[in-house]
Amino acid sequence: MPKVQLHAYILVLLLSLSILAMRIDKPLSIKGRPNTNFSKIPMQLDGWVATKIPVDEKTLKALPSASVLMRYYDDSKGTPINMTIVYGTDLGDFHQPEFCLEGQGHRSLSKGKVNIKDIDGQYFPAVSLITESDYSKQAFVYWFSSDNVNSTFLGNYKFKMLMSRLRGKRIGPSAMIRLSTEVDESDSQSVKRIADFASKMVPYFRAEFMDESPAKK
């Protein structure tokens, strides 16, 4: 098939999908910020104790359809872990964390994948990222989630959500979960520390975002 003809077919397909998407009822029934106070995500868990970090007005203004959680967890056994969650109805408010971190002065040193244990004992992938700034070296672990869909890349995640929408499925708000810690040992040990902590928190993330009890883990 000639390239021009192939491109024409692709363009028609994309236009058709766009028109179909506009004709389908919006799958997110919540308008404005999701009504959540993140109360199902514990302040204390297995020796970890959290401190709340206030969310500034500038951040909230930049994320008009999202609720934001920021906490600092410490278990007195190593470097504390910072938790940031953006939870909202408009995927336009979501960004790949690398871009935001770069704007904050973080230089990416390496990027990979790490497995997080789910409540059924299976594992799903998350992104591991090592950055360096003028002040410290940091390890990050993040992923995007809604219903039973987890993804490490926002573009792919948006595509999955669009496909769910085209199938007529009503999907709930989406979450970007990002955890970080200062690297005080090796990069791999810091990433593992975050992944182990994330696996402990997954049942509570699901309880908060999917209304599933941690008792199901």
Side-chain angles (χ1 to χ4, degrees):
M1 183 183 296
K3 287 186 178 180
V4 173
Q5 186 179 359
L6 177 60
H7 290 167
Y9 281 133
I10 293 174
L11 180 59
V12 170
L13 177 60
L14 291 175
L15 287 173
S16 299
L17 288 174
S18 298
I19 293 171
L20 182 59
M22 288 187 290
R23 293 176 63 87
I24 294 175
D25 289 338
K26 194 174 180 65
L28 303 175
S29 59
I30 302 173
K31 294 183 179 180
R33 299 188 192 280
N35 183 22
T36 181
N37 59 5
F38 300 102
S39 61
K40 295 179 182 178
I41 299 176
M43 293 290 290
Q44 298 185 38
L45 177 65
D46 290 351
W48 292 91
V49 179
T51 300
K52 293 181 180 179
I53 302 175
V55 183
D56 61 90
E57 288 299 322
K58 183 178 179 181
T59 298
L60 291 175
K61 188 176 181 179
L63 301 170
S65 73
S67 292
V68 182
L69 171 72
M70 297 177 68
R71 291 182 187 171
Y72 168 96
Y73 282 85
D74 192 359
D75 67 351
S76 301
K77 297 177 182 177
T79 307
I81 290 176
N82 289 298
M83 175 191 292
T84 299
I85 297 175
V86 177
Y87 182 59
T89 59
D90 185 355
L91 288 178
D93 281 347
F94 289 70
H95 307 90
Q96 283 292 130
E98 297 97 310
F99 302 144
C100 297
L101 292 172
E102 184 177 337
Q104 297 168 10
H106 291 265
R107 299 178 293 275
S108 179
L109 299 179
S110 66
K111 184 177 178 180
K113 296 284 181 66
V114 62
N115 290 323
I116 308 297
K117 189 175 183 179
D118 211 337
I119 60 174
D120 58 2
Q122 300 298 310
Y123 289 82
F124 63 88
V127 174
S128 64
L129 183 67
I130 303 296
T131 71
E132 187 176 54
S133 69
D134 293 339
Y135 307 101
S136 65
K137 189 177 184 182
Q138 298 275 336
F140 292 86
V141 169
Y142 71 82
W143 69 94
F144 301 93
S145 181
S146 180
D147 296 337
N148 288 317
V149 177
N150 293 305
S151 184
T152 58
F153 178 61
L154 185 56
N156 184 45
Y157 177 72
K158 288 182 177 181
F159 178 76
K160 289 179 180 178
M161 291 299 98
L162 174 61
M163 290 299 100
S164 293
R165 180 177 178 178
L166 293 177
R167 289 195 295 269
K169 180 181 178 182
R170 295 185 65 83
I171 58 176
S174 299
M176 186 281 292
I177 301 168
R178 191 187 79 187
L179 305 166
S180 65
T181 189
E182 186 172 340
V183 175
D184 60 355
E185 296 179 283
S186 69
D187 296 351
S188 60
Q189 287 174 314
S190 296
V191 169
K192 184 180 184 303
R193 177 171 169 80
I194 298 174
D196 290 345
F197 173 78
S199 295
K200 294 177 185 293
M201 280 290 179
V202 162
Y204 301 94
F205 293 151
R206 291 176 71 89
E208 179 67 47
F209 306 137
M210 297 176 61
D211 197 27
E212 292 188 5
S213 169
K216 292 184 179 181
K217 70 176 180 176

